Every structure is written in structure tokens, then in C-alpha cells.
Amino acid sequence: MNLSAKKATGILNPLAFLEREFNYREVSAWKDFVRIDQSFIRLAFFLHFLVYFLLLIPEIRDSPRGGIYFGFILSLNILSLVLSFQRKYLPAVIHGTNCTITFLVMMVLNESFYSFDDLHSLQLYNNYFLLVGFLVLFQMFRLKVKGCLLTALYSVVLHLGFTYFKLKDGTIPGFPLVLLVPDVVYLIMSLIGITIVVIVRRLVHISSELDSDYRFLQHELQIARKVQETLFPEDISIKGFKYEVYRSTPNEIGGDFYDFIQLREGNTGVFLTDIAGHGIASALVASFIKIMVATMPYRLKLHPVRLLEYLDETLLRQFKSHHASAVYIFFDFISKEIHFANGGHPYLMHSQSGSEFREIETTGSILGFGIKRPIAELVSLPILSGERLFLYTDGLIENRNPQGKQLGSEGLLEILNRNSSLTDLRQFKDVVQAELFGFFGDAEFEDDTLFLIIEME
């Protein structure tokens, strides 16, 4: 790695160093107080250079021993920075360094304003001690309640000591209460720091609980996904047609579902549904529909309209707050016909032996509302070798790309027709999928998405 790369990523670049040092994205990092102390020391090293702005004050700049005190401060910060790379003695390093630097800063102020003639000059000297309040407040970065309090009490004792000796050697009688202003500020800063620490630690505790719950839910969702995967048909060979499928869900589980129903005499039913919404509730309803389709009377599986009506009635009775769209196709290989009904689902797209795809417009109602009888019209087509059916859920055409544009059924038809001449079904699916990914780009799907391509043999 060259020098420029080191500057970009290492300690030679303070911004890059601090960004890496204070990376607390994981909740567990907020519980590692040793690591927090290490970060505190390193932050203190960078911020301690602000102390040197005191040299802009003429009295401090002309102080005979000011350079010595500032030299000690620099040495202490370098030493504490070096010691921060070990974990055993960090509290002692922090307290020792903090107390010594507070003492040295007060010594600089004390010697720089050593002589005064009246209360005004003494008050001016005293006001500079307010700057020590920032050292008190800085302790809140340690996320330890006692840090700010101990630093404040130590600062109060030091300040009172310095002020006492000033008054003892001076000509001002008594102890003016105005000189206690820095001590009040120290205590106020301490209370502010303690309050912030308590709030942050409470937020960390809450975040930790939420993180634990989130991890538990993620684990449960992963199990639920594996269970739901078993509901989908395996990659099986079906006599009479070939198929390809694509499925995506923004969550671990979703409400889009398809199934193949093996019937007598070699006939096959294909069922595809889209439960309204997505997530756990939709997935549970989809699982319920899977069981209904598998256990319903056999005669209904031979009649698409009756099958959809049975599902409509059951959903209305069992799940009044859920509804679904669905399409059921019955492949009758005895009579060489395809019969299907569409209950509020996107139109099927059909292509005959490499010709262009077209939508088969049908009428039908969403399942779960009991809107009308019959719930859908029955459509019949002859089975022709090489013809293709493209079934999909509305997420495919309603999800938006990075520019906010939806694909729409027209855009989907354009993609299908550009590639309808491809004779290999797997290649056709891969090319169509690649063009879909090209349209959506990096945009994540907001809704469950599924498409199923069937090609008659």
C-alpha cells in the first residue's frame, strides 16, 4: 500500500481514523466499555489540541511557565494514546490523565492572572476557569455515570483551592460569592453529562432488547421460509408440458404461491395465487389456501370456476379481512384442451408456437368478497404443441425502478415479444429475467413477485 492510500484509510487521515474508530453500528459495541474507553482516549487526543487556543490570550502566551505546562499536556495525551492500545489499565489512565490535565490547565490560568488589583480583575481571572467545564462535560463520552460527577467534584476542589490562595494573598476582603460561578457551572455540566449518559444507556438497553427481538424474529422467519419452501412444488417433470419459474419476496416469506395438482388419467391442474399484502399474514393465508386446494373435493379440481368459488366462500367465511387473486388452469390431455378461470388476477399471456404473446382478457372477481356468481368466466383453448402460457403476479408490473417507473403489462409484453422466437424454454426464461433486472436495476422489489412460464410439449 502506497503512502497516499495510507493517508486515505489510516491514522494519517483524522477523519478516516475517527470514522473507523467510532463505528458503533452493532448494538453489542455499546456494551463494550473497554472499547468505549479506548475510543474516548483517542478522541481526547484529537480534541486536546483545542487547549492550545488558550495561547491566543496574551496573559497566557506571556506566562513564564505556560510552555512547560502545555508541553506536559501534550506528553500526557501522547502517553495515554499509546496506552489506549492495551485494555487492562484504561480507567486508571483516563482518571490520571484527566485529573493531571485539569490541574495543569488551572495552573496555567492561575499563573497567567496572578496579580489583580480589584474585584473586577479577580472576576476576569475567575471566568477563565469556566473553560474547565468542558472537561467535565467531555466525560459523558465514556457512558459512565460517575465519570462526570467525579471530574466535577475534583474541579470544584481545585478551583476553590486556587481561589482561596488568591484571596489569601490579595487585598480583597471576604469571599465574594460571584467567584463560585465556575463551581456552579462544573456541577451543572456534571448534571447534564450524567443525564445524557443515563439517557444513552437507557436507549442502548432498549436497542439491545429490540436487537435481540429482531434477531429472534429473523431466526423464526428463516425457519418459516424453509417451511414455506416445502409448500411449493419440487422441480418435477410433468407429462405434457415444461415449465420455468421465478419467485422473489422482499421479506423472508410472502403471499405469492403456485402449485401443480396431479389429477387422474395424466391430467394436471396449475394453481397460482397472490394474497393481498405481503409478509407473515399473507404467507399464512397462502399456506391455508394450499391446504384447501389439496383437500377440496376432487370434482372441483376439474372445474376451474367451481374451484375458485369454493376458495372465495372459504376465505369470506374464515378470513373476512383477507382477499386474494388467483388463476386456475386445468390441462385436459384426454380432450386436448386447456380450461382456466381468472379470479381478479392479471391476464394470462399466451403465445402459439413462437408467435407474439397476447393477453387473454377475462372477467372475474377477487376471492374473499363473495361479490358475484359465477365468480369468473371459463375460457377454453386447444392444446397446441409449442404454445406458451405466461402467468405472473402483479408485483412484476407494479414494482418501480430507480426512476419511479412501473413496468406495466405493456412493458412486460414488449420484453416477452422481443424474445418469443427463442425455442429453448430455459434460455427464454433467462433472457426475459435479465431484461427485467435491467429495467428494475438496483431497486428492491416492494411487493412479492412471481412468474411461471408453461410450454406445451
Side-chain angles (χ1 to χ4, degrees):
M1 183 182 294
N2 56 32
L3 182 59
S4 62
K6 288 182 179 179
K7 288 183 177 179
T9 60
I11 195 171
L12 294 179
N13 184 336
L15 293 178
F17 175 76
L18 290 174
E19 182 180 358
R20 184 177 68 252
E21 182 64 38
F22 294 95
N23 179 10
Y24 287 92
R25 293 185 178 92
E26 295 294 330
V27 176
S28 58
W30 292 90
K31 297 181 178 180
D32 186 355
F33 289 104
V34 174
R35 178 185 169 185
I36 292 175
D37 278 349
Q38 289 178 319
S39 299
F40 173 85
I41 293 174
R42 293 160 193 171
L43 178 62
F45 174 76
F46 283 108
L47 294 183
H48 97 276
F49 289 100
L50 297 175
V51 174
Y52 302 126
F53 280 100
L54 291 174
L55 293 173
L56 296 176
I57 302 173
E59 289 84 354
I60 294 179
R61 189 170 57 249
D62 297 335
S63 174
R65 286 183 289 189
I68 298 175
Y69 296 140
F70 283 117
F72 275 124
I73 292 174
L74 176 61
S75 301
L76 282 172
N77 276 280
I78 293 176
L79 178 61
S80 63
L81 178 65
V82 173
L83 293 176
S84 71
F85 291 94
Q86 56 85 36
R87 297 173 65 91
K88 189 174 181 181
Y89 303 106
L90 289 178
V93 171
I94 291 174
H95 289 300
T97 302
N98 188 64
C99 291
T100 305
I101 290 177
T102 302
F103 175 77
L104 291 173
V105 169
M106 287 190 176
M107 282 293 294
V108 169
L109 295 173
N110 182 68
E111 292 194 2
S112 300
F113 298 92
Y114 190 78
S115 60
F116 49 86
D117 302 321
D118 51 25
L119 181 61
H120 175 73
S121 60
L122 177 60
Q123 190 171 341
L124 177 64
Y125 147 80
N126 192 64
N127 287 343
Y128 282 109
F129 279 84
L130 294 174
L131 298 174
V132 177
F134 291 104
L135 296 178
V136 176
L137 189 61
F138 183 61
Q139 286 290 314
M140 70 181 180
F141 286 99
R142 294 190 65 203
L143 292 187
K144 293 183 178 180
V145 176
K146 295 180 179 179
C148 294
L149 181 60
L150 293 176
T151 304
L153 294 177
Y154 173 75
S155 300
V156 168
V157 171
L158 278 183
H159 174 255
L160 291 177
F162 281 113
T163 305
Y164 169 76
F165 286 109
K166 282 290 184 183
L167 293 174
K168 180 182 178 181
D169 298 333
T171 58
I172 299 176
F175 191 98
L177 293 180
V178 71
L179 299 181
L180 295 177
V181 170
D183 305 301
V184 175
V185 170
Y186 300 158
L187 295 176
I188 291 175
M189 290 291 194
S190 174
L191 291 176
I192 293 174
I194 291 172
T195 302
I196 293 174
V197 171
V198 171
I199 293 174
V200 171
R201 293 189 68 164
R202 179 58 181 165
L203 291 175
V204 171
H205 178 70
I206 294 173
S207 299
S208 178
E209 291 181 344
L210 292 175
D211 183 66
S212 178
D213 291 341
Y214 173 77
R215 292 178 186 276
F216 174 77
L217 289 176
Q218 285 297 108
H219 176 69
E220 294 296 301
L221 284 174
Q222 289 174 3
I223 295 176
R225 181 183 181 90
K226 292 179 181 178
V227 172
Q228 190 183 40
E229 290 289 343
T230 64
L231 300 178
F232 287 89
E234 298 179 355
D235 188 9
I236 58 177
S237 176
I238 299 177
K239 185 179 180 180
F241 64 77
K242 297 179 291 186
Y243 71 92
E244 291 290 338
V245 66
Y246 168 81
R247 185 168 61 90
S248 172
T249 174
N251 303 306
E252 292 291 339
I253 54 179
D256 289 1
F257 178 77
Y258 75 98
D259 198 8
F260 298 126
I261 303 169
Q262 300 288 348
L263 303 171
R264 298 168 191 166
E265 299 177 335
N267 296 327
T268 302
V270 175
F271 178 76
L272 188 145
T273 184
D274 180 3
I275 312 300
H278 51 269
I280 297 175
S282 298
L284 290 176
V285 176
S287 302
F288 180 77
I289 291 179
K290 157 75 175 181
I291 297 172
M292 280 198 297
V293 172
T295 58
M296 70 172 51
Y298 180 81
R299 66 181 183 277
L300 298 180
K301 300 176 184 178
L302 306 178
H303 301 281
V305 176
R306 294 182 186 176
L307 182 143
L308 294 183
E309 288 180 344
Y310 178 84
L311 294 177
D312 179 45
E313 294 171 357
T314 307
L315 283 176
L316 180 61
R317 185 172 61 253
Q318 300 289 342
F319 300 99
K320 294 182 180 180
S321 60
H322 286 83
H323 58 276
S325 65
V327 59
Y328 180 68
I329 308 174
F330 170 51
F331 291 90
D332 189 341
F333 293 109
I334 304 301
S335 63
K336 302 293 184 181
E337 287 184 314
I338 300 172
H339 307 285
F340 73 90
N342 187 336
H345 203 74
Y347 296 145
L348 275 71
M349 295 184 176
H350 178 250
S351 170
Q352 291 184 348
S353 303
S355 63
E356 287 192 348
F357 280 86
R358 65 179 182 86
E359 290 184 320
I360 302 178
E361 296 185 3
T362 51
T363 59
S365 299
I366 293 287
L367 309 183
F369 290 134
I371 296 175
K372 67 174 184 175
R373 290 291 181 272
I375 193 171
E377 66 174 309
L378 180 67
V379 178
S380 299
L381 300 171
I383 293 179
L384 301 175
S385 177
E387 69 177 325
R388 289 172 176 170
L389 293 172
F390 189 92
L391 296 78
Y392 63 97
T393 57
D394 57 12
L396 185 64
I397 59 175
E398 294 180 357
N399 283 306
R400 297 181 182 273
N401 65 7
Q403 291 74 42
K405 182 180 179 181
Q406 292 181 335
L407 178 64
S409 57
E410 298 83 0
L412 178 58
L413 273 174
E414 290 179 6
I415 293 176
L416 295 177
N417 288 328
R418 273 199 300 270
N419 303 286
S420 60
S421 61
L422 296 174
T423 57
D424 183 79
L425 185 62
R426 172 63 64 84
Q427 182 185 10
F428 174 72
K429 181 250 184 178
D430 290 342
V431 173
V432 168
Q433 184 174 320
E435 289 205 28
L436 290 172
F437 288 166
F439 174 82
F440 289 108
D442 296 331
E444 295 185 0
F445 288 166
E446 298 177 356
D447 194 9
D448 302 328
T449 303
L450 182 150
F451 69 75
L452 175 67
I453 311 171
I454 298 175
E455 179 181 278
M456 307 310 300
E457 293 180 340

